[in-house]
Amino acid sequence: MVRDKLKKARATSGYTQDEMAAILGVDRSTYSYYETGRTDIPVKVLMAAASVFDIAFEWFITPDMKPLKPIEQFNPVLNSVNIFLPETLPKDAGDSEGESGAAHFTSEERIIIARYRILKEAGRDKEIDKYMSDLVAEEMDKI
């Protein structure tokens, strides 16, 4: 079922229901209802979730379809850091066991990165510029 796949992908990726609700722009209770089946999941929500987990949208809606990659890799935020950036992180970003520092993203940072991945590629620069301008304006108002 779609709701079971959504729940499995979220839980495996390490996102909380609160984080997914914030990423998708819905109330936490609404997101919870998606996973329990109390509310039908809109197609646009599934498409956004597929972007967050970096998986094919069809995986959610096709019975018995195997994902193109192991479900353990459904967390593009953490995996991209672990795979591509560990040498660029400060030496104290991880623990003595050699952790890459990916676990040091705050919930807010994970939400921002996931929302960025949902944006259509053509509009990303414009949205980021607007967001950063708004942040700067807010800080300037505090001065």
Side-chain angles (χ1 to χ4, degrees):
M1 297 184 101
V2 175
R3 66 186 167 132
D4 295 328
K5 287 184 173 184
L6 181 64
K7 183 177 182 177
K8 184 175 185 179
R10 178 199 49 83
T12 303
S13 73
Y15 288 106
T16 65
Q17 285 188 342
D18 288 332
E19 289 173 329
M20 285 304 297
I23 290 164
L24 299 172
V26 299
D27 289 337
R28 188 213 176 273
S29 61
T30 300
Y31 184 84
S32 178
Y33 292 165
Y34 293 157
E35 288 191 1
T36 60
R38 282 184 73 180
T39 301
D40 289 334
I41 307 169
V43 171
K44 69 179 185 175
V45 169
L46 287 177
M47 291 176 78
S51 294
V52 170
F53 301 127
D54 193 26
I55 59 172
F57 162 77
E58 293 79 11
W59 178 76
F60 285 116
I61 60 173
T62 306
D64 302 322
M65 179 181 178
K66 301 258 190 266
L68 298 177
K69 62 183 176 179
I71 197 163
E72 292 78 22
Q73 295 179 8
F74 277 15
N75 190 336
V77 173
L78 296 185
N79 284 337
S80 62
V81 171
N82 286 334
I83 293 169
F84 300 112
L85 298 178
E87 66 279 357
T88 65
L89 293 171
K91 290 187 181 204
D92 63 348
D95 62 19
S96 59
E97 304 275 325
E99 179 185 333
S100 71
H104 296 282
F105 280 125
T106 67
S107 180
E108 290 171 343
E109 290 166 332
R110 288 167 42 95
I111 290 168
I112 289 169
I113 292 168
R115 283 182 175 170
Y116 173 81
R117 289 174 183 245
I118 293 171
L119 292 173
K120 290 186 178 11
E121 199 169 320
R124 284 180 178 166
D125 290 342
K126 183 179 176 183
E127 290 293 324
I128 295 299
D129 288 345
K130 181 182 179 326
Y131 177 73
M132 295 304 290
S133 294
D134 291 347
L135 284 178
V136 170
E138 284 178 27
E139 289 299 316
M140 295 301 286
D141 288 344
K142 292 178 184 177
I143 297 177

